[in-house]
Amino acid sequence: VLDYKVRVSNATCFTPDGRIMFFCDSPTRRVYAFDYDPRQGLTNRRLVYELPSDVDGVPDGAQCDADGCLWVALSGAGKVVRVSRTGGVDYVVELPVKCPTSVTFGGRNLDTLFITTRGPDGGSLYAVRAPPGVRGVPEVAYDDASPLLAGGAGGMVTAGA
């Protein structure tokens, strides 16, 4: 699936239906999507986002929202961007620090973005209201995938289930 040695693995997350996985090797400044099937693994690598050359930083942690759009922390650029399903950036969260490291959704309605940061000016957690209508999805917990691969139940389960 990867045709080179990975240096800094980041941005690994899945769409809500579990059929697309995102991945970034941060020094490349590119985020890829792969089709995912538990029986076949990852296939069909395609570029979904490349950090523009005039923007500092690298893609770091990421999370998908309920619409399957990708939210990526751009460490060194001081922002988090939402990459639409067509590949364009349709929302930007500007931060007062240079290095956001990851993003996830939380709150009662999963409509708050929680953004972690690192030093020297970071090391904090920011909470930002998501745009109207944008929601996260409940995190899943890992379960033994053996039954799923054999055609039975198993695989990913909703946390708390």
Side-chain angles (χ1 to χ4, degrees), residues 7-11 23-31 49-62 71-81 98-102 116 118:
R7 294 172 286 173
V8 184
S9 173
N10 270 311
F23 173 82
C24 173
D25 182 9
S26 289
T28 69
R29 298 167 52 97
R30 294 182 180 122
V31 179
Y49 177 74
E50 184 170 10
L51 190 63
S53 61
D54 63 337
V55 176
D56 290 337
V58 296
D60 204 337
W71 291 80
V72 184
L74 301 179
S75 189
K79 60 181 87 175
V80 172
V81 297
K98 290 284 284 179
C99 296
T101 55
S102 197
T116 57
R118 65 176 172 85

Side-chain angles (χ1 to χ4, degrees), residues 15-16 57 65-66 91 110 118 124 126 140:
T15 53
D65 62 25
Y91 197 82
L110 295 172
R118 65 176 172 85
S124 297
Y126 291 86
V140 294

Side-chain angles (χ1 to χ4, degrees), residues 3-125:
D3 56 2
Y4 62 91
K5 182 179 177 182
V6 175
R7 294 172 286 173
V8 184
S9 173
N10 270 311
T12 304
C13 61
F14 290 83
T15 53
D17 63 7
R19 295 179 183 206
I20 297 174
M21 185 194 89
F22 296 97
F23 173 82
C24 173
D25 182 9
S26 289
T28 69
R29 298 167 52 97
R30 294 182 180 122
V31 179
Y32 292 95
F34 297 83
D35 293 334
Y36 175 72
D37 179 287
R39 290 177 185 84
Q40 296 179 348
L42 300 173
T43 59
N44 190 28
R45 180 178 82 161
R46 59 215 176 266
L47 180 67
V48 294
Y49 177 74
E50 184 170 10
L51 190 63
S53 61
D54 63 337
V55 176
D56 290 337
V58 296
D60 204 337
Q63 184 70 14
C64 279
D65 62 25
D67 296 325
C69 297
L70 181 69
W71 291 80
V72 184
L74 301 179
S75 189
K79 60 181 87 175
V80 172
V81 297
R82 180 183 191 232
V83 180
S84 73
R85 294 179 64 107
T86 60
V89 172
D90 63 3
Y91 197 82
V92 178
V93 176
E94 299 281 347
L95 295 165
V97 297
K98 290 284 284 179
C99 296
T101 55
S102 197
V103 59
T104 195
F105 288 88
R108 174 169 286 148
N109 298 313
L110 295 172
D111 61 353
T112 302
L113 290 165
F114 289 95
I115 303 165
T116 57
T117 65
R118 65 176 172 85
D121 60 350
S124 297
L125 175 67

